[in-house]
Amino acid sequence: MQFFGHPFSSYTQKVLIALWADETPFEYRMLDQEHPENFEELKRHSPFGQFPLVIDKGAALFESTPIIEHLQACHPGPNRWIPDGEIGRRARFLDRFFDLHVMNNMQALVGDALRPEEARDPYGAARARERLHIAYDWLEHEIGAQWATGDSFTVADCAAAPSLFYADWVEPIGSSRPKLTAYRSRLLAHPTVARAVEEGRPYRPLFPLGAPDRD
Ligand SMILES: N[C@@H](CCC(=O)N[C@@H](CS)C(=O)NCC(=O)O)C(=O)O
């Protein structure tokens, strides 16, 4: 299995966390300037050039959640990313919540900061910040156990780790949300999340909003 991604990319980290937690072997095809051929291959399979992407037995798959579903089905390891029954449905639901309402609002702010000054969208950026606060408030009431759905580490935690990691950089979760803050800390202490954070560390100077001196 080939995996295309970049160590500082949040959605790359989401899938790497699952791959590493299951100790699934793969070839890492890094999307960086030293490997233009990897970008060429990415573009052949991912219509928007988005990553992560996996190519497994000749079949290409993009979108982080279906990739993790594929890992569970075709490369099963010790973790059940989407458990059976109600917990699995909850994991799926929270995975969507973290991607759509935390990760994507965080990405909107990062994307806005990367635009030329005259192309920025202050209205859209303010709305993304407001929506992050709504997401944080909702999560503060929903997350109480060790992991998102309870005792087992699922796809929801894979999504939560990079989304809360970076979202807190662009719009701090703040001391008024102690449960969410504690959950973010538990995630960062998980060995595979800690590894993802370490592998992304050399790229922090590239963070367009300025990486804080912590984490
Ligand atoms: N919904 C996609 C989002 C993937 C995504 O936004 N990837 C970012 C990197 S974190 C990307 O490809 N950015 C480059 C681009 O959009 O051109 C998923 O779950 O994999």
Side-chain angles (χ1 to χ4, degrees):
M1 180 164 53
Q2 299 183 5
F3 174 85
F4 294 70
H6 186 279
F8 203 44
S9 130
S10 53
Y11 281 105
T12 296
Q13 292 181 358
K14 174 178 165 184
V15 175
L16 283 174
I17 289 164
L19 284 164
W20 289 336
D22 277 346
E23 297 185 24
T24 305
F26 65 94
E27 179 192 348
Y28 197 157
R29 298 204 39 194
M30 194 85 79
L31 294 163
D32 58 15
Q33 283 174 346
E34 284 88 75
H35 300 94
E37 72 283 5
N38 291 348
F39 281 105
E40 287 309 311
E41 181 132 22
L42 173 78
K43 276 190 250 155
R44 279 198 286 278
H45 302 287
S46 176
F48 302 103
Q50 286 196 318
F51 46 93
L53 167 86
V54 298
I55 303 182
D56 195 12
K57 298 189 183 80
L61 185 60
F62 55 91
E63 288 294 330
S64 54
T65 301
I67 292 174
I68 292 174
E69 289 185 281
H70 172 80
L71 295 178
Q72 176 165 306
C74 301
H75 300 270
N79 295 280
R80 290 287 294 166
W81 299 116
I82 304 183
D84 292 333
E86 185 56 35
I87 294 182
R89 288 191 288 277
R90 175 88 176 152
R92 209 59 178 79
F93 166 58
L94 290 173
D95 169 78
R96 291 301 73 222
F97 189 90
F98 282 111
D99 275 14
L100 298 175
H101 304 302
V102 182
M103 200 98 97
N104 289 1
N105 283 315
M106 175 278 290
Q107 274 190 333
L109 290 163
V110 171
D112 193 59
L114 286 169
R115 290 181 188 181
E117 190 79 42
E118 66 281 5
R120 297 234 169 105
D121 171 17
Y123 177 84
R127 191 161 182 269
R129 286 188 192 281
E130 264 170 40
R131 292 173 77 84
L132 276 178
H133 282 283
I134 293 169
Y136 293 162
D137 284 338
W138 187 86
L139 286 164
E140 179 67 14
H141 289 102
E142 294 290 321
I143 303 286
Q146 186 185 11
W147 303 122
T149 61
D151 295 337
S152 50
F153 195 81
T154 69
V155 67
D157 302 293
C158 297
S163 55
L164 292 175
F165 175 68
Y166 286 116
D168 185 56
W169 282 10
V170 304
E171 191 63 28
I173 293 169
S175 56
S176 64
R177 289 136 181 156
K179 288 198 280 182
L180 188 58
T181 302
Y183 174 54
R184 181 179 183 273
S185 300
R186 281 195 297 283
L187 286 166
L188 295 193
H190 187 281
T192 63
V193 177
R195 180 174 172 187
V197 168
E198 276 322 301
E199 295 201 4
R201 193 176 295 278
Y203 305 94
R204 288 188 185 197
L206 302 176
F207 196 67
L209 290 155
D213 192 16
R214 58 182 167 87
D215 296 327

